Amino acid sequence: MKNTVVVGAQFGDEGKAKITDLLAHQADFIIRYQGGSNAGHTVVVNDKKYKFHLIPSGILYPNKTCFMGAGVVICPEDFKKEVDEIISQGVSFDQIRKSLRISPLAHITMPYHRAIDGWCEADLGEKKIGTTKKGIGPTYTDKYNRCGIRVEDLFDENLLSDKLDIILPMKNKELQYVYGLKTYTKEEILKICKEYKEIFTPYVCFNWQEIIADAKKNKTVLFEGAQGVMLDIDYGTYPYVTSSNPVAGGAAVGGSMGPLAIQEVIGVFKAYTTRVGEGPFITELNDETGKAIQQIGIEYGVTTGRARRCGWFDAVFAKYSVLVGGLSAAAITKLDVFDSFDEIKLCTGYKNKKTCEIIKQYPTKVATHYNYEPVYERFKGWKTDISQIKKYEDLPEAAKVYLNKLEEILEIPIKIISVGPNRDQTIFK
């Protein structure tokens, strides 16, 4: 296997965790490069579900190194809860401690970040962004405002004390006068940070430069992202986006290896489109077909439990994802959801509702999306169960026609096709 980045190519929730899990079997070193506990990934092994939010899903394999990079923001309470849940499902603490490494450069989500996030969403009312209220945006805000707390700060009490003397007066003014929220004494924050230090001690990797240098020379590396290209802070449906860069370029920065380490970028697409939260969604189906996709696909968010909005595959923004996401190959998931459908639609253009002009290039001005309606090509359904098929050649002809059209539009090869949640329900093309 080449050094590979797995990128969500839609609005997140495309089934990246399963693809990452499959590829992690061939990798030595798995890096989570951005995002925080606002992400949710589900891996199914022998009909047993494992839910991940922060920890790379490669942790299920022994003798792998799983690294949480500098681009990740970590809520210690969520991290501890996730470790405890994985242990309760049969993964030993010794295996986790042996495999998992955390970059000392990763930023920490503090309690006040969550408080600010929740306040902002509530204050926006009907104009809310649709965040998970996990404090991710405020954590990244402090990171780029150069007043964040990093994992390494927890392990130097004098440095942390000096840092808080600078940070805390500013943060308390913000909390009190902007948001009307609880303020913190230095003693309170030091106590919280002491607890966080205990949580991270088994995993923090102060010799990360040595480990990364060795991995670049001698290991097969898998970069694992969260969210998707259309939620990227720069290229997504701004402002209805996340606060980091899920695109492959984000892996080069947040994964601590630089761009030359990346040899393959696999974009994960569902056979249809889903979105959680607010924002435009041109192919959204607010009808019985949309409900059917939601029910058959079990489309509910791993992190929030919110029902996902469902619609047909949007090839307009999918092609845009290939461009800005840096994709060199594709994986198509949940193709089996269409097993009972008579007809499948594929959006290949947008029609302006007023002028009737049809465009095929993705419009980045999100406010204009409500002026468009989808232009569809129709495909015949295959009306048979494909969930146990192991070879591409054995797929129904109608399924091949649909996949071939996707490949033609995306202009990259489809290398992986998922026909069910389990590891063995996968076709390698």
Side-chain angles (χ1 to χ4, degrees), residues 38-83:
N38 56 335
H41 309 295
T42 301
V43 175
V44 181
V45 182
N46 297 325
D47 295 319
K48 188 174 184 178
K49 289 185 179 180
Y50 297 85
K51 294 184 178 182
F52 297 95
H53 301 274
L54 283 160
I55 298 172
S57 48
I59 200 72
L60 296 177
Y61 291 99
N63 304 316
K64 308 286 184 182
T65 299
C66 294
F67 185 73
M68 294 169 62
V72 179
V73 295
I74 308 173
C75 173
E77 292 90 349
D78 286 351
F79 172 77
K80 183 180 185 303
K81 180 181 178 182
E82 189 170 337
V83 170

Side-chain angles (χ1 to χ4, degrees), residues 32-38 54 71-74 136 140 226-227 242 244:
R32 168 73 183 275
Y33 62 86
Q34 49 76 226
S37 54
N38 56 335
L54 283 160
V72 179
V73 295
I74 308 173
I136 307 304
Y140 277 113
Q227 290 89 35
T242 193
S244 57

Side-chain angles (χ1 to χ4, degrees), residues 259-302:
L260 295 182
I262 298 170
Q263 299 167 316
E264 175 100 282
V265 181
I266 296 180
V268 184
F269 299 86
K270 274 180 185 166
Y272 47 94
T273 308
T274 63
R275 178 168 199 167
V276 172
E278 309 304 314
F281 185 173
I282 291 177
T283 64
E284 184 173 10
L285 295 169
N286 296 304
D287 57 14
E288 292 304 315
T289 302
K291 290 179 182 177
I293 293 174
Q294 184 185 85
Q295 291 170 2
I296 298 170
I298 316 175
E299 295 297 350
Y300 299 91
V302 176

